[in-house]
Amino acid sequence: MPSGRQFVKAMRLGGAIGVLTASVALAQDAIKIGVLEDQSGDFAAATMVKVNAITLAAEEINAAGGIGGRPVELVVYDTQSDNTRYQEFMRRVLQSDQVDVVFAGFSSASREAYRPIVNQFDGLAFYNNQYEGGVCDANMIVTGAVPEQQFSTLIPWMMEKYGNNVYTLAADYNFGQISAEWVRQIVEENGGTMVGEEFIPLGVSQFGQSIQNIQAAKPGFVVTLLVGAAQASYYEQAAAANVNLPMASSVNVGQGYEHKRFTPPSLKDMYVTTNFIEEVDTPAAKAFIEKFRARFPDEPYINQEAANSYIAMNLYKLMVERAGTTDHAALRAEIAKGDVCFDGPSGNVCLDPKSQHMSHTIFLAKVEADHSISFPNVWENIAPYWLGEAGCDLTKNDPSAQYTPSSPPPQE
Amino acid sequence: MSTLFSFLFQFGDAFAFLVIASMGLAIIFGMMGVINLAHGEFIMCGAYTTVSLAQLGLPLPLAILGGSITAGLIGMVLERTIIRHLYHRPLDSIVATWGATQGVLIVLGSTMQGVGTPLGSFTVGGFSYSTYRVVLMGIAVLLLVSLYLFFYHTRAGVIARATIQLPRMARATGVDTGKVYTLTFGLGAALAGLAGGLYAPTMTLVPTMGATFMVESFVTVVIGGGDIFLGAAPAAAILAVIRSGMTAWQGQLFGQIGLLITVIIVIRLLPGGLSGWILGGRK
C-alpha cells in the first residue's frame, strides 16, 4: 500500500508528464536552430564561447516571448574541430532534425566542407567568424569581419607607423593563402614592398629558420596569420630570440585570446583589427560582458565570435519577425531592402544585400608588454564592400562560389 | 662569418630537436621493438608536469627533472600493466599505446599558460638568437654521451642490452628480465618526458603538443635503425643538415618534404636503417 509520501511522488510524476506533453505541443511551433560548433579538439578554446553566446541569446529571446510568439529551440552538436563531423552533422540537422537555420563553423576549411551540403538541401547558414572573405552564396549569411574590414584598415595604419617593408608569415591553407594575397595587394596599393612571405604547414612548431629569415629581410613589421596551437609557438620563440618587431594580425587576440594564455611579453606590440573583444570600452560592450558573465561566470574569455554569434541570433529574430515566416526567400527579400540592422555589443551593424555580409565598427587592439590591451584607433561602420564592388550581387543571382582578389567574380 | 654561424646555429637547433625528441623512442621502439604511439603523450606529460612544478615556484631545471621522472614512472606503470603482455605482438602494441593517448586527451582540458623561455638572447652579426637554444644543443650532445656510457660502460647497461637481445640467456644467468624490461621502458618514457620538459618553455601547451614531435622522432629512429649510437645519432645529424638546408632554401614546407623523402629513400635502400648498414658492413 502506498504511503502518503509515495502518493505525493506519484502525483508529482503525473504533473511532470503533464508539463512534458505541454512542452511537446509547444515544440511543434518552436523555431529550430541548429548549432554546429567545436566544443572539443584543436579549436575548442576559441569556440566553446560561441555556443554559450547562442544559448544566452536564445534564453533572452524566449524570455521576451520568442520570435514572433514562437519559442526558439537549439539543436546543438559538437563538431570536434573535425571537417568530416561538420558534413555529417550538417546533413543531420538539415535532413532529420529539419532545423529552420544553422549556426556553424570556425575554420574556413570547415565552412568550405559544409557549404555544399547547405546548398544541396537549400538550407540557411550563419557563419559567425572572421575569415578571408569572398563567399558569394545566397544560402550563407556572414557576420564575421572580412579582409576589407580587417586589412584595409590595419595594413595602411601599420605602414604609416612602422614603414613600408612588410613580411608575412601565414598558415599554409585556404585562410592563410587568401589572407596573404590580400595583404600583398594592399601593401602594393600603398606603395610598400613585400620583403618576404612564408607559408607554414599546419602543425609546425619549430620556427628557428623562419625567425632568421625574418631578421635577414629586415621588415618594418611582420603580418602573422598563424593558426592552431602548434603554430602559436612562434610568438614565444620569436620573443626568446629577441626579434622585437611589431606584429599585425587578423586572427590573434580576437579569437584565441593569446594575450591571456601566453606568458608576457611574447605578444608585445601585436596589433589586431577586431570588431569586438572583452576589453572594448563602450557602454554596449560592457553591458554585454556583464550579462554574459552573469549567465556564464566561468567563461575564460568573451571573444569577437561570441559577439558575432549573439548578433546573428538577434538579426535572425529581426528578419523572421519582419517577414512573418522562416521561409528563406522571404528572409532574403528582407535583407535585400538593405535595412536589416542591429544595435548590439559591437555597435550598430547592418547586413549588406549584395554579399549578405555584415558592416562592422573595427577596433585596433594593441597588446602591451604586460599583455594588457589598448586601442590606438577605431574605424566606424566599415562596410563589407569588396564582393559587391567586384560583381557579386545575391539579389540578382547566386553563384554559390568563393572569390579572391586574383580570381574575382566573372565580369559580364 | 655571421652567415656561417647562422647556418651552424640552425643545424645545431634542428639536430638538438631531433636527438632530444627521439632518444626516448629510440630506446622503446628502436631497441625494445614496441611501436610506441604514446611517445607524444610521454612528451606532453613531461611538459605539463614541468610547467605545473615551475608555476609552483620550483626552479626550471628541477621542474624539468620532475617532468622527466613523472613520465618515467607513468611509463613503468604502463609497461607493468599493459605493454609487457604485448612484446611479441607489435601490431597490438600499436593499438594499446594509441588507446593510452586517447585516454590522456579525455582527462586533460584544452590549454595551459606557459612559463616563458629563460636566459634571454645574444647577437651575432645582424641576427639575434635565443640563448636557451644553445643550451638545448649542449644537452643533446650530453644526452648522447651519457646514454653511450650507460649502455656500453656500466653493468646495468650491459644487462639491459643482453636482456633485450637474448632474454632467455639473460634469464639463465640470473637476470630478472621482467624488471629490466620495466626499467628500460621507464628510461625511454623518462627521456620522452625530458624532451617535453626541455621544450615546454618554448611552445604552446596543449594536450596534443606531443604530436608535433612524433613525425621527427619516428623518422629519426626509422632511419637510424636499432642502435642508438650508430643509428639515431648520425641519422639526426644527416636529417638536421637536410632539414635546415631545405628550410633555409625554400621554407618550412620543403624542410618537411626533404625529411620525408629521405626516409623513403633510406628505407628502400637500407631496410635495417643506418645502424643495420654500418653493422652489416662490419661483418
Side-chain angles (χ1 to χ4, degrees), chain A residues 94-108:
Chain A
L94 291 177
Q95 284 189 291
S96 61
D97 296 325
Q98 302 266 328
V99 299
D100 295 290
V101 64
V102 193
F103 285 49
F106 177 70
S107 82
S108 291

Side-chain angles (χ1 to χ4, degrees), chain A residues 171-238:
Chain A
D172 196 2
Y173 75 114
N174 58 355
F175 166 78
Q177 291 277 358
I178 296 172
S179 297
E181 188 184 330
W182 272 96
V183 172
R184 202 179 308 141
Q185 184 176 312
I186 293 168
V187 166
E188 276 161 21
E189 279 169 11
N190 287 277
T193 319
M194 293 301 303
V195 292
E197 217 173 38
E198 186 175 349
F199 293 97
I200 312 290
L202 287 174
V204 162
S205 68
Q206 299 300 313
F207 287 91
Q209 188 67 52
S210 307
I211 287 168
Q212 218 149 86
N213 294 347
I214 290 171
Q215 293 189 338
K218 296 191 170 51
F221 62 97
V222 183
V223 181
T224 54
L225 302 165
L226 301 171
V227 175
Q231 292 195 349
S233 302
Y234 167 77
Y235 308 108
E236 182 58 46
Q237 289 169 21

Side-chain angles (χ1 to χ4, degrees), chain B residues 41 44 48 74 99-111 206-207:
Chain B
E41 275 57 37
M44 184 270 296
Y48 267 63
I74 292 178
T101 73
Q102 298 304 302
V104 169
L105 290 189
I106 291 166
V107 170
L108 284 167
S110 59
T111 70
V206 285

